[in-house]
Amino acid sequence: MAADGTIFGAMLEEFSGAARILNLEPGIWKILTNPKRQIIVACPVQMDDGRIEVFTGYRVQYNITLGPGKGGIRYHPDVSLDEVRALAAWMTWKCAVAHIPFGGAKGGIICDPTKMSRRELEALTRRYVAEIIDAIGPEKDVPAPDVNTNAQVMAWIMDTYSMHVGHTTTSVVTGKPIELGGSLGRREATGRGVMISTRESAKHLGLDITKARVAIQGFGNVGSISAQLIGELGAKIVAVSDWKGGVFNEKGLDVPALMAYAETHDHSVDGFPGGEPLTNEQLFKLDVDVLIPAALENQITAKNASSIRAKIVVEGANGPTTPDAHMQLHQRGVFVVPDILANSGGVTASYFEWVQDRYGYFWNEQEVNDRLEAKMHEAFNAVLQTALKYKIDMRTAAYVVAIDRVATVTKMRGMYA
Ligand code: GLU
C-alpha cells in the first residue's frame, strides 16, 4: 500500500525512485505511468441452484511496447481495478527484467472460488473470456495462471477462444495442461526461479545455503515448489504458513510430507503433525536466514518490518512488501530480491511455452529447466550489477533495468500521430 492507500500508488513510488536515477524524460515518464487499456466486464453466470449471479472481471494491458501483453488472471474476493492495474504494471517491468518480448497485462475476477462448484467456475471462465475475446490472442495479450487459477482454467480459456476463432489456438494462453500445448517445467518454474534467486543471493552475500534456515509464507504453487527446491539445495525449511494456519519445526520440515498433507487437507498446512502450530505473525518474526513471502500483496508493512530478522527476503508473491517497509529493510541491510525479479521464472517459462506452441515443437523438461536457469542468471546478474553500479537496492535496480529497456524501445518506435 502506498501513501495514497492504493496498490498502484505503491508501484508508482517504486517506479519514481528508479526513473529519477535514469533521468527519465517527463514525456516517457508519463507514458510509462499510464495504463494503455483497462477493460471492465460483467459476467453473468447461472449458479447451480438456478440463481443468476453477475461477477465483475478486469483485464488491464498496462504496456505492450515490447510485445503482446502477458500476465495471469486471478480469482479472489479482494480483486479490484487498482490491484489488477498494479499487477499489470508489475508484469510490464517483470517481462522487461526477464528480457522476454512481452508487455505487461493482468486480469482478475471478483469471486470466491472456494465457494464455487467446478461447473460454476467453468461457466464464469468461459463467459469472462467471451467478454474480453477481442482484446486477447497470441499476438495481442496472453493470459496465464495466477492466484486461484490453474492449468484446468487455462484449458477452458484456450477452448473458449479456439471455439470463437474456429480453430485450435494453443498459444493464446500459457500454463496449460501438458497434453494440450503446455510446457514441461512451467508449473514448477516460478518456484524454481525463487530457488535460483535465493541461491544466487546467498552466493553474493557469502552465506552457505546448505546451512540456511528458511521461512515461507504461502504454500500454493509458488510457496510449495520453492520449499521443495530450496530444501533440495540442503537448506532447512523451518516454517511455513498459509491462509488457514502454519507449522514450525526447528529441525526442518519434511517438505514432501507437507505437500502430500496439504493435498488432502484443503490445500493448507494447518494441522500438519510434523511440527508445532505457528501463526502468520510469528512466522515473520522467526530467526531465519531467508524469508519468502509467497502469498499476496501488503504482507510486510511498516508495522511488522522492524521485527523481521531474515538476512534475505525473496519475494515469491507480487507486491508483498510496501514501499515504507522496503525502505526499513534496506536501511537495516536486509537483501531484498524484488518480485519482478524473484518470481519472474513463471513468466519466463510461459514465454517458453508460447514459443513451443507457435513452433509446434516441444522441448524436454531438462531443456526447459536449463533455459530457465540461463535466463534467471542473466536477469539476476543484470539487476545485481545495476545495484552495485548505482549503489542502490535490488528493487530500484530491477526497475532501472526494466524502465531503461521499455523507454529505449518506446523512443525507437517513436510517437504515432
Ligand atoms: N501470474 C504469474 C506472474 O505473476 C505468471 C504470469 C505469466 O506467466 O504470464 O508472474
PDB file of all heavy atoms in Angstrom, residues 29-63:
ATOM      1  N   TRP A  29       8.144   9.367 -19.015  1.00  0.00           N
ATOM      2  CA  TRP A  29       7.643   9.115 -17.650  1.00  0.00           C
ATOM      3  C   TRP A  29       6.120   9.020 -17.668  1.00  0.00           C
ATOM      4  O   TRP A  29       5.520   8.110 -17.118  1.00  0.00           O
ATOM      5  CB  TRP A  29       8.128  10.253 -16.732  1.00  0.00           C
ATOM      6  CG  TRP A  29       7.912  10.057 -15.260  1.00  0.00           C
ATOM      7  CD1 TRP A  29       6.753   9.698 -14.628  1.00  0.00           C
ATOM      8  CD2 TRP A  29       8.895  10.209 -14.225  1.00  0.00           C
ATOM      9  NE1 TRP A  29       6.949   9.630 -13.271  1.00  0.00           N
ATOM     10  CE2 TRP A  29       8.250   9.935 -12.997  1.00  0.00           C
ATOM     11  CE3 TRP A  29      10.246  10.566 -14.209  1.00  0.00           C
ATOM     12  CZ2 TRP A  29       8.916  10.012 -11.769  1.00  0.00           C
ATOM     13  CZ3 TRP A  29      10.904  10.636 -12.983  1.00  0.00           C
ATOM     14  CH2 TRP A  29      10.241  10.356 -11.783  1.00  0.00           C
ATOM     15  N   LYS A  30       5.505   9.990 -18.368  1.00  0.00           N
ATOM     16  CA  LYS A  30       4.035   9.998 -18.442  1.00  0.00           C
ATOM     17  C   LYS A  30       3.513   8.745 -19.138  1.00  0.00           C
ATOM     18  O   LYS A  30       2.557   8.118 -18.686  1.00  0.00           O
ATOM     19  CB  LYS A  30       3.551  11.229 -19.228  1.00  0.00           C
ATOM     20  CG  LYS A  30       3.353  12.459 -18.373  1.00  0.00           C
ATOM     21  CD  LYS A  30       2.741  13.585 -19.192  1.00  0.00           C
ATOM     22  CE  LYS A  30       3.469  14.878 -18.874  1.00  0.00           C
ATOM     23  NZ  LYS A  30       3.302  15.910 -19.879  1.00  0.00           N
ATOM     24  N   ILE A  31       4.144   8.388 -20.250  1.00  0.00           N
ATOM     25  CA  ILE A  31       3.678   7.205 -20.999  1.00  0.00           C
ATOM     26  C   ILE A  31       3.770   5.958 -20.118  1.00  0.00           C
ATOM     27  O   ILE A  31       2.839   5.155 -20.044  1.00  0.00           O
ATOM     28  CB  ILE A  31       4.515   7.006 -22.294  1.00  0.00           C
ATOM     29  CG1 ILE A  31       4.259   8.145 -23.273  1.00  0.00           C
ATOM     30  CG2 ILE A  31       4.176   5.655 -22.936  1.00  0.00           C
ATOM     31  CD1 ILE A  31       5.160   8.123 -24.504  1.00  0.00           C
ATOM     32  N   LEU A  32       4.901   5.823 -19.429  1.00  0.00           N
ATOM     33  CA  LEU A  32       5.135   4.582 -18.676  1.00  0.00           C
ATOM     34  C   LEU A  32       4.365   4.510 -17.352  1.00  0.00           C
ATOM     35  O   LEU A  32       4.385   3.477 -16.686  1.00  0.00           O
ATOM     36  CB  LEU A  32       6.638   4.395 -18.416  1.00  0.00           C
ATOM     37  CG  LEU A  32       7.525   4.290 -19.664  1.00  0.00           C
ATOM     38  CD1 LEU A  32       8.956   3.872 -19.302  1.00  0.00           C
ATOM     39  CD2 LEU A  32       6.954   3.302 -20.673  1.00  0.00           C
ATOM     40  N   THR A  33       3.706   5.587 -16.974  1.00  0.00           N
ATOM     41  CA  THR A  33       2.927   5.531 -15.728  1.00  0.00           C
ATOM     42  C   THR A  33       1.413   5.552 -15.995  1.00  0.00           C
ATOM     43  O   THR A  33       0.618   5.695 -15.078  1.00  0.00           O
ATOM     44  CB  THR A  33       3.303   6.691 -14.771  1.00  0.00           C
ATOM     45  OG1 THR A  33       3.270   7.919 -15.500  1.00  0.00           O
ATOM     46  CG2 THR A  33       4.674   6.491 -14.164  1.00  0.00           C
ATOM     47  N   ASN A  34       1.059   5.408 -17.285  1.00  0.00           N
ATOM     48  CA  ASN A  34      -0.369   5.340 -17.629  1.00  0.00           C
ATOM     49  C   ASN A  34      -0.704   3.998 -18.263  1.00  0.00           C
ATOM     50  O   ASN A  34      -0.085   3.614 -19.263  1.00  0.00           O
ATOM     51  CB  ASN A  34      -0.726   6.462 -18.610  1.00  0.00           C
ATOM     52  CG  ASN A  34      -1.023   7.747 -17.862  1.00  0.00           C
ATOM     53  OD1 ASN A  34      -2.089   7.902 -17.262  1.00  0.00           O
ATOM     54  ND2 ASN A  34      -0.057   8.652 -17.854  1.00  0.00           N
ATOM     55  N   PRO A  35      -1.692   3.276 -17.703  1.00  0.00           N
ATOM     56  CA  PRO A  35      -2.079   2.005 -18.325  1.00  0.00           C
ATOM     57  C   PRO A  35      -2.657   2.239 -19.712  1.00  0.00           C
ATOM     58  O   PRO A  35      -3.441   3.165 -19.912  1.00  0.00           O
ATOM     59  CB  PRO A  35      -3.145   1.449 -17.374  1.00  0.00           C
ATOM     60  CG  PRO A  35      -3.541   2.560 -16.488  1.00  0.00           C
ATOM     61  CD  PRO A  35      -2.470   3.600 -16.506  1.00  0.00           C
ATOM     62  N   LYS A  36      -2.246   1.407 -20.669  1.00  0.00           N
ATOM     63  CA  LYS A  36      -2.690   1.602 -22.047  1.00  0.00           C
ATOM     64  C   LYS A  36      -4.180   1.314 -22.214  1.00  0.00           C
ATOM     65  O   LYS A  36      -4.894   2.040 -22.875  1.00  0.00           O
ATOM     66  CB  LYS A  36      -1.899   0.684 -22.973  1.00  0.00           C
ATOM     67  CG  LYS A  36      -2.346   0.801 -24.416  1.00  0.00           C
ATOM     68  CD  LYS A  36      -1.562  -0.099 -25.331  1.00  0.00           C
ATOM     69  CE  LYS A  36      -2.063  -0.029 -26.758  1.00  0.00           C
ATOM     70  NZ  LYS A  36      -1.910   1.296 -27.369  1.00  0.00           N
ATOM     71  N   ARG A  37      -4.640   0.194 -21.627  1.00  0.00           N
ATOM     72  CA  ARG A  37      -6.034  -0.226 -21.863  1.00  0.00           C
ATOM     73  C   ARG A  37      -6.563  -0.918 -20.618  1.00  0.00           C
ATOM     74  O   ARG A  37      -5.883  -1.796 -20.076  1.00  0.00           O
ATOM     75  CB  ARG A  37      -6.045  -1.173 -23.055  1.00  0.00           C
ATOM     76  CG  ARG A  37      -7.386  -1.459 -23.646  1.00  0.00           C
ATOM     77  CD  ARG A  37      -7.255  -2.334 -24.897  1.00  0.00           C
ATOM     78  NE  ARG A  37      -6.749  -1.636 -26.070  1.00  0.00           N
ATOM     79  CZ  ARG A  37      -5.835  -2.129 -26.919  1.00  0.00           C
ATOM     80  NH1 ARG A  37      -5.320  -3.318 -26.723  1.00  0.00           N
ATOM     81  NH2 ARG A  37      -5.448  -1.424 -27.963  1.00  0.00           N
ATOM     82  N   GLN A  38      -7.761  -0.519 -20.173  1.00  0.00           N
ATOM     83  CA  GLN A  38      -8.340  -1.136 -18.978  1.00  0.00           C
ATOM     84  C   GLN A  38      -9.755  -1.580 -19.294  1.00  0.00           C
ATOM     85  O   GLN A  38     -10.607  -0.752 -19.623  1.00  0.00           O
ATOM     86  CB  GLN A  38      -8.353  -0.139 -17.828  1.00  0.00           C
ATOM     87  CG  GLN A  38      -6.989   0.514 -17.580  1.00  0.00           C
ATOM     88  CD  GLN A  38      -6.986   1.407 -16.365  1.00  0.00           C
ATOM     89  OE1 GLN A  38      -6.949   0.929 -15.246  1.00  0.00           O
ATOM     90  NE2 GLN A  38      -7.048   2.694 -16.579  1.00  0.00           N
ATOM     91  N   ILE A  39     -10.005  -2.864 -19.172  1.00  0.00           N
ATOM     92  CA  ILE A  39     -11.303  -3.413 -19.555  1.00  0.00           C
ATOM     93  C   ILE A  39     -12.036  -3.900 -18.304  1.00  0.00           C
ATOM     94  O   ILE A  39     -11.455  -4.610 -17.474  1.00  0.00           O
ATOM     95  CB  ILE A  39     -11.113  -4.595 -20.537  1.00  0.00           C
ATOM     96  CG1 ILE A  39     -10.269  -4.151 -21.746  1.00  0.00           C
ATOM     97  CG2 ILE A  39     -12.453  -5.156 -20.993  1.00  0.00           C
ATOM     98  CD1 ILE A  39      -9.771  -5.298 -22.608  1.00  0.00           C
ATOM     99  N   ILE A  40     -13.295  -3.493 -18.168  1.00  0.00           N
ATOM    100  CA  ILE A  40     -14.131  -3.977 -17.060  1.00  0.00           C
ATOM    101  C   ILE A  40     -15.334  -4.672 -17.681  1.00  0.00           C
ATOM    102  O   ILE A  40     -16.007  -4.094 -18.542  1.00  0.00           O
ATOM    103  CB  ILE A  40     -14.633  -2.819 -16.168  1.00  0.00           C
ATOM    104  CG1 ILE A  40     -13.457  -1.952 -15.697  1.00  0.00           C
ATOM    105  CG2 ILE A  40     -15.416  -3.360 -14.967  1.00  0.00           C
ATOM    106  CD1 ILE A  40     -13.878  -0.743 -14.880  1.00  0.00           C
ATOM    107  N   VAL A  41     -15.580  -5.913 -17.277  1.00  0.00           N
ATOM    108  CA  VAL A  41     -16.715  -6.636 -17.861  1.00  0.00           C
ATOM    109  C   VAL A  41     -17.615  -7.222 -16.773  1.00  0.00           C
ATOM    110  O   VAL A  41     -17.154  -7.568 -15.687  1.00  0.00           O
ATOM    111  CB  VAL A  41     -16.235  -7.769 -18.805  1.00  0.00           C
ATOM    112  CG1 VAL A  41     -15.595  -7.196 -20.051  1.00  0.00           C
ATOM    113  CG2 VAL A  41     -15.279  -8.731 -18.105  1.00  0.00           C
ATOM    114  N   ALA A  42     -18.901  -7.334 -17.096  1.00  0.00           N
ATOM    115  CA  ALA A  42     -19.861  -8.005 -16.214  1.00  0.00           C
ATOM    116  C   ALA A  42     -20.058  -9.412 -16.763  1.00  0.00           C
ATOM    117  O   ALA A  42     -20.283  -9.587 -17.963  1.00  0.00           O
ATOM    118  CB  ALA A  42     -21.179  -7.241 -16.214  1.00  0.00           C
ATOM    119  N   CYS A  43     -19.934 -10.403 -15.895  1.00  0.00           N
ATOM    120  CA  CYS A  43     -20.019 -11.798 -16.344  1.00  0.00           C
ATOM    121  C   CYS A  43     -21.174 -12.504 -15.637  1.00  0.00           C
ATOM    122  O   CYS A  43     -21.015 -13.024 -14.521  1.00  0.00           O
ATOM    123  CB  CYS A  43     -18.723 -12.542 -16.023  1.00  0.00           C
ATOM    124  SG  CYS A  43     -17.245 -11.757 -16.676  1.00  0.00           S
ATOM    125  N   PRO A  44     -22.344 -12.567 -16.272  1.00  0.00           N
ATOM    126  CA  PRO A  44     -23.473 -13.273 -15.659  1.00  0.00           C
ATOM    127  C   PRO A  44     -23.257 -14.785 -15.719  1.00  0.00           C
ATOM    128  O   PRO A  44     -22.788 -15.306 -16.733  1.00  0.00           O
ATOM    129  CB  PRO A  44     -24.668 -12.886 -16.540  1.00  0.00           C
ATOM    130  CG  PRO A  44     -24.171 -11.870 -17.509  1.00  0.00           C
ATOM    131  CD  PRO A  44     -22.698 -11.995 -17.572  1.00  0.00           C
ATOM    132  N   VAL A  45     -23.576 -15.461 -14.623  1.00  0.00           N
ATOM    133  CA  VAL A  45     -23.408 -16.914 -14.554  1.00  0.00           C
ATOM    134  C   VAL A  45     -24.624 -17.507 -13.851  1.00  0.00           C
ATOM    135  O   VAL A  45     -25.061 -16.997 -12.813  1.00  0.00           O
ATOM    136  CB  VAL A  45     -22.138 -17.289 -13.750  1.00  0.00           C
ATOM    137  CG1 VAL A  45     -22.052 -18.800 -13.540  1.00  0.00           C
ATOM    138  CG2 VAL A  45     -20.871 -16.784 -14.437  1.00  0.00           C
ATOM    139  N   GLN A  46     -25.162 -18.561 -14.450  1.00  0.00           N
ATOM    140  CA  GLN A  46     -26.240 -19.268 -13.754  1.00  0.00           C
ATOM    141  C   GLN A  46     -25.599 -20.227 -12.756  1.00  0.00           C
ATOM    142  O   GLN A  46     -24.834 -21.119 -13.135  1.00  0.00           O
ATOM    143  CB  GLN A  46     -27.106 -20.037 -14.755  1.00  0.00           C
ATOM    144  CG  GLN A  46     -28.240 -20.760 -14.066  1.00  0.00           C
ATOM    145  CD  GLN A  46     -29.504 -20.764 -14.902  1.00  0.00           C
ATOM    146  OE1 GLN A  46     -29.450 -20.815 -16.129  1.00  0.00           O
ATOM    147  NE2 GLN A  46     -30.646 -20.703 -14.244  1.00  0.00           N
ATOM    148  N   MET A  47     -25.916 -20.029 -11.482  1.00  0.00           N
ATOM    149  CA  MET A  47     -25.303 -20.852 -10.442  1.00  0.00           C
ATOM    150  C   MET A  47     -26.030 -22.200 -10.354  1.00  0.00           C
ATOM    151  O   MET A  47     -27.116 -22.377 -10.915  1.00  0.00           O
ATOM    152  CB  MET A  47     -25.351 -20.117  -9.086  1.00  0.00           C
ATOM    153  CG  MET A  47     -24.760 -18.708  -9.130  1.00  0.00           C
ATOM    154  SD  MET A  47     -23.046 -18.628  -9.684  1.00  0.00           S
ATOM    155  CE  MET A  47     -22.181 -18.961  -8.149  1.00  0.00           C
ATOM    156  N   ASP A  48     -25.435 -23.136  -9.605  1.00  0.00           N
ATOM    157  CA  ASP A  48     -26.009 -24.489  -9.542  1.00  0.00           C
ATOM    158  C   ASP A  48     -27.428 -24.493  -8.974  1.00  0.00           C
ATOM    159  O   ASP A  48     -28.232 -25.354  -9.306  1.00  0.00           O
ATOM    160  CB  ASP A  48     -25.112 -25.403  -8.688  1.00  0.00           C
ATOM    161  CG  ASP A  48     -23.790 -25.688  -9.379  1.00  0.00           C
ATOM    162  OD1 ASP A  48     -23.715 -25.431 -10.607  1.00  0.00           O
ATOM    163  OD2 ASP A  48     -22.844 -26.141  -8.717  1.00  0.00           O
ATOM    164  N   ASP A  49     -27.746 -23.528  -8.100  1.00  0.00           N
ATOM    165  CA  ASP A  49     -29.087 -23.519  -7.508  1.00  0.00           C
ATOM    166  C   ASP A  49     -30.105 -22.774  -8.387  1.00  0.00           C
ATOM    167  O   ASP A  49     -31.238 -22.540  -7.960  1.00  0.00           O
ATOM    168  CB  ASP A  49     -29.041 -22.909  -6.094  1.00  0.00           C
ATOM    169  CG  ASP A  49     -28.575 -21.456  -6.100  1.00  0.00           C
ATOM    170  OD1 ASP A  49     -28.397 -20.881  -7.199  1.00  0.00           O
ATOM    171  OD2 ASP A  49     -28.386 -20.890  -5.004  1.00  0.00           O
ATOM    172  N   GLY A  50     -29.678 -22.384  -9.591  1.00  0.00           N
ATOM    173  CA  GLY A  50     -30.616 -21.767 -10.524  1.00  0.00           C
ATOM    174  C   GLY A  50     -30.574 -20.247 -10.537  1.00  0.00           C
ATOM    175  O   GLY A  50     -30.991 -19.607 -11.505  1.00  0.00           O
ATOM    176  N   ARG A  51     -30.022 -19.643  -9.469  1.00  0.00           N
ATOM    177  CA  ARG A  51     -29.975 -18.183  -9.375  1.00  0.00           C
ATOM    178  C   ARG A  51     -28.907 -17.630 -10.318  1.00  0.00           C
ATOM    179  O   ARG A  51     -27.932 -18.321 -10.639  1.00  0.00           O
ATOM    180  CB  ARG A  51     -29.710 -17.935  -7.890  1.00  0.00           C
ATOM    181  CG  ARG A  51     -28.854 -16.908  -7.378  1.00  0.00           C
ATOM    182  CD  ARG A  51     -28.722 -17.117  -5.837  1.00  0.00           C
ATOM    183  NE  ARG A  51     -27.658 -18.072  -5.525  1.00  0.00           N
ATOM    184  CZ  ARG A  51     -26.391 -17.740  -5.418  1.00  0.00           C
ATOM    185  NH1 ARG A  51     -26.017 -16.504  -5.583  1.00  0.00           N
ATOM    186  NH2 ARG A  51     -25.479 -18.646  -5.141  1.00  0.00           N
ATOM    187  N   ILE A  52     -29.114 -16.380 -10.781  1.00  0.00           N
ATOM    188  CA  ILE A  52     -28.106 -15.760 -11.660  1.00  0.00           C
ATOM    189  C   ILE A  52     -27.250 -14.802 -10.842  1.00  0.00           C
ATOM    190  O   ILE A  52     -27.773 -13.975 -10.084  1.00  0.00           O
ATOM    191  CB  ILE A  52     -28.773 -15.027 -12.848  1.00  0.00           C
ATOM    192  CG1 ILE A  52     -29.336 -16.079 -13.816  1.00  0.00           C
ATOM    193  CG2 ILE A  52     -27.779 -14.123 -13.564  1.00  0.00           C
ATOM    194  CD1 ILE A  52     -30.149 -15.515 -14.950  1.00  0.00           C
ATOM    195  N   GLU A  53     -25.958 -14.940 -10.985  1.00  0.00           N
ATOM    196  CA  GLU A  53     -25.006 -14.065 -10.291  1.00  0.00           C
ATOM    197  C   GLU A  53     -24.233 -13.290 -11.357  1.00  0.00           C
ATOM    198  O   GLU A  53     -23.975 -13.834 -12.433  1.00  0.00           O
ATOM    199  CB  GLU A  53     -24.063 -14.976  -9.490  1.00  0.00           C
ATOM    200  CG  GLU A  53     -23.355 -14.356  -8.317  1.00  0.00           C
ATOM    201  CD  GLU A  53     -24.300 -13.833  -7.245  1.00  0.00           C
ATOM    202  OE1 GLU A  53     -24.886 -14.636  -6.492  1.00  0.00           O
ATOM    203  OE2 GLU A  53     -24.418 -12.599  -7.195  1.00  0.00           O
ATOM    204  N   VAL A  54     -23.906 -12.024 -11.078  1.00  0.00           N
ATOM    205  CA  VAL A  54     -23.089 -11.276 -12.044  1.00  0.00           C
ATOM    206  C   VAL A  54     -21.740 -10.937 -11.402  1.00  0.00           C
ATOM    207  O   VAL A  54     -21.681 -10.258 -10.373  1.00  0.00           O
ATOM    208  CB  VAL A  54     -23.796  -9.987 -12.517  1.00  0.00           C
ATOM    209  CG1 VAL A  54     -22.918  -9.229 -13.515  1.00  0.00           C
ATOM    210  CG2 VAL A  54     -25.138 -10.321 -13.164  1.00  0.00           C
ATOM    211  N   PHE A  55     -20.678 -11.434 -12.004  1.00  0.00           N
ATOM    212  CA  PHE A  55     -19.322 -11.224 -11.479  1.00  0.00           C
ATOM    213  C   PHE A  55     -18.625 -10.127 -12.283  1.00  0.00           C
ATOM    214  O   PHE A  55     -18.802 -10.037 -13.498  1.00  0.00           O
ATOM    215  CB  PHE A  55     -18.505 -12.516 -11.589  1.00  0.00           C
ATOM    216  CG  PHE A  55     -19.047 -13.645 -10.759  1.00  0.00           C
ATOM    217  CD1 PHE A  55     -19.985 -14.529 -11.286  1.00  0.00           C
ATOM    218  CD2 PHE A  55     -18.636 -13.819  -9.444  1.00  0.00           C
ATOM    219  CE1 PHE A  55     -20.494 -15.577 -10.527  1.00  0.00           C
ATOM    220  CE2 PHE A  55     -19.145 -14.856  -8.673  1.00  0.00           C
ATOM    221  CZ  PHE A  55     -20.077 -15.738  -9.212  1.00  0.00           C
ATOM    222  N   THR A  56     -17.816  -9.324 -11.580  1.00  0.00           N
ATOM    223  CA  THR A  56     -17.057  -8.278 -12.271  1.00  0.00           C
ATOM    224  C   THR A  56     -15.668  -8.798 -12.608  1.00  0.00           C
ATOM    225  O   THR A  56     -14.974  -9.340 -11.746  1.00  0.00           O
ATOM    226  CB  THR A  56     -16.933  -7.028 -11.369  1.00  0.00           C
ATOM    227  OG1 THR A  56     -18.245  -6.617 -11.009  1.00  0.00           O
ATOM    228  CG2 THR A  56     -16.211  -5.894 -12.087  1.00  0.00           C
ATOM    229  N   GLY A  57     -15.288  -8.643 -13.872  1.00  0.00           N
ATOM    230  CA  GLY A  57     -13.957  -9.078 -14.312  1.00  0.00           C
ATOM    231  C   GLY A  57     -13.174  -7.912 -14.879  1.00  0.00           C
ATOM    232  O   GLY A  57     -13.751  -6.934 -15.381  1.00  0.00           O
ATOM    233  N   TYR A  58     -11.855  -8.008 -14.790  1.00  0.00           N
ATOM    234  CA  TYR A  58     -10.971  -6.955 -15.312  1.00  0.00           C
ATOM    235  C   TYR A  58      -9.883  -7.573 -16.184  1.00  0.00           C
ATOM    236  O   TYR A  58      -9.462  -8.710 -15.951  1.00  0.00           O
ATOM    237  CB  TYR A  58     -10.252  -6.226 -14.163  1.00  0.00           C
ATOM    238  CG  TYR A  58     -11.157  -5.643 -13.120  1.00  0.00           C
ATOM    239  CD1 TYR A  58     -11.357  -6.311 -11.915  1.00  0.00           C
ATOM    240  CD2 TYR A  58     -11.798  -4.437 -13.337  1.00  0.00           C
ATOM    241  CE1 TYR A  58     -12.182  -5.781 -10.933  1.00  0.00           C
ATOM    242  CE2 TYR A  58     -12.633  -3.894 -12.360  1.00  0.00           C
ATOM    243  CZ  TYR A  58     -12.820  -4.570 -11.162  1.00  0.00           C
ATOM    244  OH  TYR A  58     -13.634  -4.036 -10.210  1.00  0.00           O
ATOM    245  N   ARG A  59      -9.443  -6.821 -17.169  1.00  0.00           N
ATOM    246  CA  ARG A  59      -8.184  -7.140 -17.855  1.00  0.00           C
ATOM    247  C   ARG A  59      -7.528  -5.799 -18.138  1.00  0.00           C
ATOM    248  O   ARG A  59      -8.132  -4.930 -18.790  1.00  0.00           O
ATOM    249  CB  ARG A  59      -8.426  -7.910 -19.159  1.00  0.00           C
ATOM    250  CG  ARG A  59      -7.132  -8.371 -19.852  1.00  0.00           C
ATOM    251  CD  ARG A  59      -6.490  -9.560 -19.147  1.00  0.00           C
ATOM    252  NE  ARG A  59      -5.184  -9.889 -19.719  1.00  0.00           N
ATOM    253  CZ  ARG A  59      -4.325 -10.757 -19.156  1.00  0.00           C
ATOM    254  NH1 ARG A  59      -4.626 -11.396 -18.034  1.00  0.00           N
ATOM    255  NH2 ARG A  59      -3.155 -11.003 -19.707  1.00  0.00           N
ATOM    256  N   VAL A  60      -6.335  -5.611 -17.618  1.00  0.00           N
ATOM    257  CA  VAL A  60      -5.596  -4.372 -17.862  1.00  0.00           C
ATOM    258  C   VAL A  60      -4.364  -4.703 -18.690  1.00  0.00           C
ATOM    259  O   VAL A  60      -3.594  -5.597 -18.343  1.00  0.00           O
ATOM    260  CB  VAL A  60      -5.183  -3.684 -16.540  1.00  0.00           C
ATOM    261  CG1 VAL A  60      -4.309  -2.462 -16.821  1.00  0.00           C
ATOM    262  CG2 VAL A  60      -6.412  -3.277 -15.727  1.00  0.00           C
ATOM    263  N   GLN A  61      -4.228  -4.020 -19.826  1.00  0.00           N
ATOM    264  CA  GLN A  61      -3.000  -4.143 -20.637  1.00  0.00           C
ATOM    265  C   GLN A  61      -2.213  -2.872 -20.348  1.00  0.00           C
ATOM    266  O   GLN A  61      -2.507  -1.814 -20.873  1.00  0.00           O
ATOM    267  CB  GLN A  61      -3.361  -4.289 -22.114  1.00  0.00           C
ATOM    268  CG  GLN A  61      -4.083  -5.622 -22.343  1.00  0.00           C
ATOM    269  CD  GLN A  61      -4.803  -5.709 -23.678  1.00  0.00           C
ATOM    270  OE1 GLN A  61      -4.936  -4.705 -24.390  1.00  0.00           O
ATOM    271  NE2 GLN A  61      -5.294  -6.888 -23.998  1.00  0.00           N
ATOM    272  N   TYR A  62      -1.242  -3.022 -19.477  1.00  0.00           N
ATOM    273  CA  TYR A  62      -0.569  -1.826 -18.975  1.00  0.00           C
ATOM    274  C   TYR A  62       0.333  -1.197 -20.025  1.00  0.00           C
ATOM    275  O   TYR A  62       0.318   0.010 -20.252  1.00  0.00           O
ATOM    276  CB  TYR A  62       0.234  -2.162 -17.712  1.00  0.00           C
ATOM    277  CG  TYR A  62       0.777  -0.925 -17.038  1.00  0.00           C
ATOM    278  CD1 TYR A  62      -0.043  -0.123 -16.256  1.00  0.00           C
ATOM    279  CD2 TYR A  62       2.095  -0.527 -17.234  1.00  0.00           C
ATOM    280  CE1 TYR A  62       0.430   1.038 -15.676  1.00  0.00           C
ATOM    281  CE2 TYR A  62       2.580   0.626 -16.653  1.00  0.00           C
ATOM    282  CZ  TYR A  62       1.749   1.408 -15.874  1.00  0.00           C
ATOM    283  OH  TYR A  62       2.212   2.550 -15.313  1.00  0.00           O
ATOM    284  N   ASN A  63       1.151  -2.050 -20.660  1.00  0.00           N
ATOM    285  CA  ASN A  63       2.084  -1.534 -21.664  1.00  0.00           C
ATOM    286  C   ASN A  63       2.420  -2.671 -22.614  1.00  0.00           C
ATOM    287  O   ASN A  63       2.737  -3.772 -22.170  1.00  0.00           O
ATOM    288  CB  ASN A  63       3.357  -1.024 -20.986  1.00  0.00           C
ATOM    289  CG  ASN A  63       4.297  -0.325 -21.956  1.00  0.00           C
ATOM    290  OD1 ASN A  63       4.828  -0.939 -22.872  1.00  0.00           O
ATOM    291  ND2 ASN A  63       4.469   0.973 -21.775  1.00  0.00           N
TER     292      ASN A  63
END
